[in-house]
Amino acid sequence: MDKNIKGAWILQHGQKLQATTNQDFDSISFAGKCGKFLSAISAESQEKISDKQLSALARANYISVRTDVPMIIEELKRQRLILPGVGGIEVLGVTGKEVLKFTATIFEESERESFEDAVIELSEATSDFPITETLAVDFISDTFKLSKADAHSTLLVGSNIGFFDTESISSSEKLIFNGNLFRREDARKISAVLSTLNAVETQNLSDVNARLNDTGCLPLNGIVKILGEKLFSQLHSIGMFDVNIVGNESGQNSFVTRPAAFSKFTNSIADDALDLAKALVASLTYGMTVSSYYRGRINAISLLMQKLIDGGTVGPATAIGSDYQALEYKGVVKVIPANGGMFRMRLLKPEVGRLALSVIQSGNITGEAVDNLPGAKVTSYTAPEVTREFCRKNSTEAVKLKTRNLLNEIRTGGLNK
């Protein structure tokens, strides 16, 4: 498997393990934390990070300062990614793709269990096409020299953690699939889903897809109004839509993107493994569509974003000091104090900015240039995979039955009709 792809799966699985007490996948967990922390503290150019900043970034990314950070720092030193300094460290310039490669390297150099390799390989296989549990057991048993009992146990524990999803398709068989199914535009997968819908649902879905293709990102309530809660839940649960949640003191706002919107500019899970571009797109869309006028609604963004991508800073503005905390936590932007209680902002990850800007510019939500980045306060961000898991866990039996049928159609491509 390509190292970028493997690193992306390790990061995604590592984040899921952080929400559990499971100790079976220790190598995935540690390598995932290393990659997540490296992403948070690094930029494309070499950066100095104080001990205080290290602790703050660790806490913001749910990494224990006492138990995790010392081991992670030692590993990053061993990989020659950081240099010790007085009162902090220096982090060598690292791109997002390099973060993924080092994450994979850390995992590969660990003393890991063979079933840890198995869940990564199976995750990639089922993100392309669902397979039956019988085939999955045979695949990981033969490939990783596991007994059939251990292979079954690996599938059960992996699906409980959320490495992949399962749906019963008969009394004796389950379907194994992955939420990254629609990350790449695939006419066969789309047509398989459409073949299960009635004429009204098909028309409504076509309408929603057209609007998202035009715009890139839209508020959730508008999408649900067109599709209805039941149909949206079905399509969301199998990964046809991504739901991104941004939050602040006023509450939470949800926005919908399509994985295919990003696949115009990327072609795998590796290109936005930590959902950083989605976080940036959702934050900017909030500023353009929801943020109140008195905060300074964003009317345009292209030239400002290009300035950031080119290495420039925006500001000074008072609002910058509080409005982009979610992006600060993830190491996407750096907020710099200026005079008079104002702040400037610099983009630490130009590749994330380029992907986000491409998605935004592919739609029609950009306009005339503005002088400063207006307020669009976002203090928290919930990624698509988290919202998709919540949707599946809380779906009704009727919705789960329809989901099962949709996945069966995707698996066969409608060829058995």
Side-chain angles (χ1 to χ4, degrees):
M1 188 188 302
D2 178 84
K3 271 203 167 185
N4 288 337
I5 300 293
K6 180 179 283 189
W9 284 118
I10 292 167
L11 279 168
Q12 187 171 107
H13 290 351
Q15 291 185 92
K16 291 177 179 179
L17 284 166
Q18 279 189 276
T20 76
T21 57
N22 183 280
Q23 301 295 315
D24 295 325
F25 300 90
D26 193 53
S27 292
I28 291 178
S29 178
F30 180 68
K33 286 179 181 178
C34 287
K36 187 176 182 180
F37 194 54
L38 177 60
S39 176
I41 66 176
S42 64
E44 286 195 4
S45 58
Q46 190 161 325
E47 293 283 324
K48 291 184 178 180
I49 308 290
S50 69
D51 289 335
K52 188 174 182 180
Q53 287 174 311
L54 280 175
S55 296
L57 286 168
R59 288 193 297 271
N61 287 278
Y62 306 102
I63 293 172
S64 171
V65 175
R66 285 182 178 272
T67 61
D68 292 329
V69 170
M71 293 181 64
I72 293 172
I73 292 295
E74 283 305 310
E75 180 62 33
L76 296 183
K77 285 180 183 177
R78 192 178 74 82
Q79 297 290 339
R80 298 182 180 180
L81 293 169
I82 61 176
L83 302 171
V86 179
I89 60 171
E90 284 196 48
V91 186
L92 302 186
V94 180
T95 66
K97 291 290 179 67
E98 289 168 335
V99 168
L100 300 182
K101 288 180 180 178
F102 281 112
T103 300
T105 297
I106 291 168
F107 174 74
E108 290 169 352
E109 293 178 356
S110 68
E111 295 182 5
R112 62 194 186 279
E113 300 287 350
S114 56
F115 56 76
E116 295 190 78
D117 290 288
V119 296
I120 294 170
E121 194 72 36
L122 189 59
S123 296
E124 173 63 10
T126 55
S127 72
D128 191 40
F129 229 61
I131 62 175
T132 63
E133 183 180 39
T134 300
L135 287 175
V137 167
D138 289 343
F139 169 64
I140 63 175
S141 177
D142 293 343
T143 305
F144 300 99
K145 310 304 179 186
L146 297 171
S147 69
K148 289 295 176 70
D150 286 343
H152 274 290
S153 178
T154 297
L155 281 181
L156 178 61
V157 175
S159 61
N160 286 340
I161 293 171
F163 293 157
F164 26 75
D165 294 298
T166 62
E167 280 292 352
S168 297
I169 55 176
S170 73
S171 59
S172 59
E173 189 64 281
K174 291 181 180 179
L175 202 62
I176 312 294
F177 71 101
N178 192 286
N180 289 276
L181 205 60
F182 288 94
R183 185 169 291 274
R184 291 186 286 271
E185 186 72 83
D186 188 320
R188 188 182 182 193
K189 295 173 189 175
I190 300 296
S191 64
V193 171
L194 291 175
S195 70
T196 70
L197 308 181
N198 61 40
V200 174
E201 289 173 332
T202 299
Q203 180 56 52
N204 289 343
L205 178 58
S206 296
D207 184 20
V208 165
N209 282 337
R211 294 186 186 204
L212 286 172
N213 284 339
D214 287 343
T215 309
C217 185
L218 286 170
L220 172 64
N221 56 3
I223 301 297
V224 172
K225 187 175 181 180
I226 297 172
L227 293 178
E229 290 187 9
K230 183 179 177 181
L231 178 57
F232 178 80
S233 180
Q234 293 161 4
L235 299 175
H236 178 207
S237 70
I238 63 170
M240 195 166 186
F241 296 115
D242 283 340
V243 174
N244 309 260
I245 300 176
V246 297
N248 54 29
E249 77 280 359
S250 300
Q252 293 185 327
N253 290 272
S254 299
F255 297 93
V256 177
T257 56
R258 286 187 62 215
F262 286 79
S263 70
K264 292 177 184 178
F265 315 101
T266 68
N267 57 19
S268 75
I269 182 179
D271 289 291
D272 195 22
L274 287 166
D275 294 310
L276 300 181
K278 288 189 180 75
L280 185 52
V281 167
S283 297
L284 294 174
T285 302
Y286 172 81
M288 288 184 266
T289 61
V290 178
S291 185
S292 61
Y293 180 78
Y294 79 90
R295 284 201 59 77
R297 178 175 295 186
I298 299 176
N299 295 315
I301 205 68
S302 294
L303 292 183
L304 271 174
M305 282 296 297
Q306 194 59 58
K307 182 178 180 181
L308 288 168
I309 290 166
D310 291 340
T313 61
V314 296
T318 304
I320 288 176
S322 60
D323 284 358
Y324 300 96
Q325 293 175 26
L327 298 176
E328 279 189 87
Y329 295 157
K330 293 179 177 292
V332 177
V333 300
K334 183 173 185 177
V335 173
I336 307 157
N339 294 328
M342 295 191 289
F343 298 83
R344 297 182 182 274
M345 187 168 71
R346 178 164 64 90
L347 185 65
L348 295 176
K349 295 176 169 50
E351 60 186 334
V352 173
R354 284 190 288 269
L355 176 54
L357 182 58
S358 295
V359 172
I360 290 173
Q361 286 182 326
S362 69
N364 58 12
I365 52 176
T366 56
E368 297 302 318
V370 290
D371 293 330
N372 290 298
L373 195 61
K377 189 168 187 176
V378 176
T379 57
S380 67
Y381 171 75
T382 305
E385 185 63 16
V386 177
T387 61
R388 192 183 70 82
E389 286 179 12
F390 181 81
C391 170
R392 286 188 57 76
K393 288 177 181 177
N394 291 278
S395 61
T396 65
E397 286 304 311
V399 169
K400 292 185 75 172
L401 178 62
K402 188 64 174 289
T403 299
R404 187 179 313 145
N405 294 337
L406 291 175
L407 288 163
N408 216 6
E409 287 293 321
I410 293 169
R411 181 167 69 98
T412 64
L415 299 179
N416 61 348
K417 287 199 168 187

